[in-house]
Every structure is written in structure tokens, then in C-alpha cells.
Amino acid sequence: AQKVTQAQTEISVVEKEDVTLDCVYETRDTTYYLFWYKQPPSGELVFLIRRNSFDEQNEISGRYSWNFQKSTSSFNFTITASQVVDSAVYFCALSEIQGGKLIFGQGTELSVKP
Amino acid sequence: EAQVTQNPRYLITVTGKKLTVTCSQNMNHEYMSWYRQDPGLGLRQIYYSMNVEVTDKGDVPEGYKVSRKEKRNFPLILESPSPNQTSLYFCASSGTGTGSVEQYFGPGTRLTVT
């Protein structure tokens, strides 16, 4: 069965701190896709990144970086030098089919205080 | 601008009064789906469509209907809404090629059924 676990329900940091959001997934498929989405207080779901199971290369985009490790079934997300605008709920998600159903984790609520 | 649009954004209605939430995408995506988001239950898929005239149930389809007569539109129909359908609803779309499997979400529709 597929499952995504985000063990951190809430994280609170002070601006400029680095923060890592953990994501652990379960799947029996050898081909799958992992995603991170951001849900700011305004409520929309914003796509951040996708990783294919066959591509373990880590990625950096500005202050954001993602670490994908198949050996530990983890896809962690790090924000460097956090800012107040990073305050949001972050969701990790898994899909076993191209464009198919997303299995979401429960989300991590990040609060960045000035 | 590539986007998924939903209407209405907010709706308060009464039990039993049929309603339709529209969803439209301008990215020529084959795959479209509906999710609902509830506190403590997270995001769950209601229905999905792999292409025109092809729809199927997700995890929580009871009380909902959908149709896919055109590629760009995927309306969600509540024939007889009940209070347990009070929720935040998201429409999403994606392509089905290897390079385009991320789902893009509409802004959400906050529905209250009294």
C-alpha cells in the first residue's frame, strides 16, 4: 500500500534559520513520482518540485533544496535562511502513475517568526 | 497564463439544494481530478478523469458526480448536498507524459452546507 508520512506536524523557527521538513514514503512500485506542495494561509496549493523514482539527483532552487534517498524512502525538503513568507503548510505527495492520484502526507505547518 | 480555475470560490448552501462547482484548465491536460481537504483527514481524491468521457471514482466518491464532455472542463456536481460535504475542494490537472506529471491545482472552493 502507498503511504506518505510527514512526522512533523508543526515547526516553528525564527527568520534566517534553516529548516528541514521530513517526508518518508511507502510504495511497492519501482516507478513512482514524489512531489512537494506549499499551501500558504490564502489556501491555494502551489507545486514546488517533482522527483521521478529513477532520478535520485538532489536539487537546489534558490533557498530551497530537496534530498531524495531511495535507500531510506525519504524525500526531505530544506529551506535555507527561512523568511516569514515561507510560513505555510507543506505537503509531500506520492503518485504511482503518470498524472495519477496523489497520496498526500498530513502536512507540516511551518511558522517562521520575525 | 497557464492555470486551473474554479468557480465559485466560496459557497454557502442548504442541505439538498443541487450545486455544481466548475473547473477549467487551459493547459491541454488529459488528466483532471477533484480532491477535498478536511481537518484531520487531509487531502483525499473524489473523482478523476484520464481523458474526455473517461471518469472513475477516487477514494471518497459518495454524494458526488462528475462529467468530462470537453478536455478543458471537469465540473463537480453535488446532487443533494449534506453537511458532511462541507469542505475545501480542489480541482487539479496534469499531463500524462513522463516530463509533465505534476498536478496543478485550482485556487479551491470553500463549501459550507447548512
Side-chain angles (χ1 to χ4, degrees):
Chain A
Q2 324 94 307
K3 186 179 180 181
V4 176
T5 302
Q6 294 178 255
Q8 305 148 310
T9 305
E10 298 178 11
I11 300 177
S12 182
V13 300
V14 176
E15 210 170 17
K16 297 184 184 176
E17 283 187 36
D18 298 348
V19 58
T20 296
L21 309 182
D22 297 332
C23 173
V24 174
Y25 62 92
E26 296 175 30
T27 178
R28 291 181 183 162
D29 280 16
T30 55
T31 300
Y32 51 89
Y33 305 87
L34 296 165
F35 308 85
W36 277 96
Y37 285 86
K38 175 182 180 180
Q39 187 173 39
S42 51
E44 70 271 26
L45 282 164
V46 179
F47 166 73
L48 295 178
I49 191 172
R50 163 179 54 94
R51 260 294 167 260
N52 305 335
S53 56
F54 45 84
D55 179 7
E56 280 195 78
Q57 190 173 17
N58 294 324
E59 183 154 338
I60 298 174
S61 176
R63 296 184 296 105
Y64 294 173
S65 62
W66 292 269
N67 181 260
F68 175 30
Q69 291 195 335
K70 288 179 75 171
S71 60
T72 56
S73 297
S74 65
F75 186 41
N76 297 336
F77 174 27
T78 297
I79 302 174
T80 302
S82 59
Q83 300 176 1
V84 173
V85 293
D86 295 327
S87 296
V89 180
Y90 291 87
F91 291 95
C92 182
L94 164 73
S95 176
E96 294 177 338
I97 306 170
Q98 292 177 9
K101 181 175 75 173
L102 289 171
I103 307 297
F104 284 91
Q106 287 300 102
T108 297
E109 183 173 4
L110 174 64
S111 176
V112 182
K113 301 189 186 308
Chain B
E1 179 190 356
Q3 60 182 349
V4 179
T5 57
Q6 292 179 230
N7 282 292
R9 295 288 312 279
Y10 303 90
L11 180 60
I12 301 175
T13 190
V14 296
T15 299
K17 186 177 181 182
K18 181 180 179 180
L19 67 92
T20 299
V21 183
T22 64
C23 172
S24 183
Q25 50 92 6
N26 62 1
M27 295 170 278
N28 201 36
H29 283 164
E30 294 84 8
Y31 183 90
M32 297 185 74
S33 65
W34 279 99
Y35 294 84
R36 61 178 289 176
Q37 183 178 25
D38 303 286
L41 296 175
L43 285 143
R44 296 174 293 169
Q45 189 183 57
I46 304 170
Y47 267 95
Y48 67 94
S49 169
M50 297 299 290
N51 215 323
V52 176
E53 301 294 358
V54 181
T55 64
D56 209 345
K57 298 177 181 178
D59 296 322
V60 289
E62 295 77 22
Y64 304 95
K65 287 176 59 176
V66 293
S67 68
R68 187 92 181 271
K69 294 184 172 56
E70 305 167 282
K71 195 172 187 180
R72 62 183 293 128
N73 296 324
F74 190 46
L76 179 69
I77 303 158
L78 285 72
E79 295 266 1
S80 182
S82 62
N84 65 11
Q85 293 179 297
T86 293
S87 186
L88 178 58
Y89 291 87
F90 289 101
C91 180
S93 75
S94 72
T96 52
T98 305
S100 61
V101 301
E102 54 270 15
Q103 293 189 31
Y104 294 93
F105 285 80
T109 295
R110 192 168 292 278
L111 172 66
T112 301
V113 183
T114 61

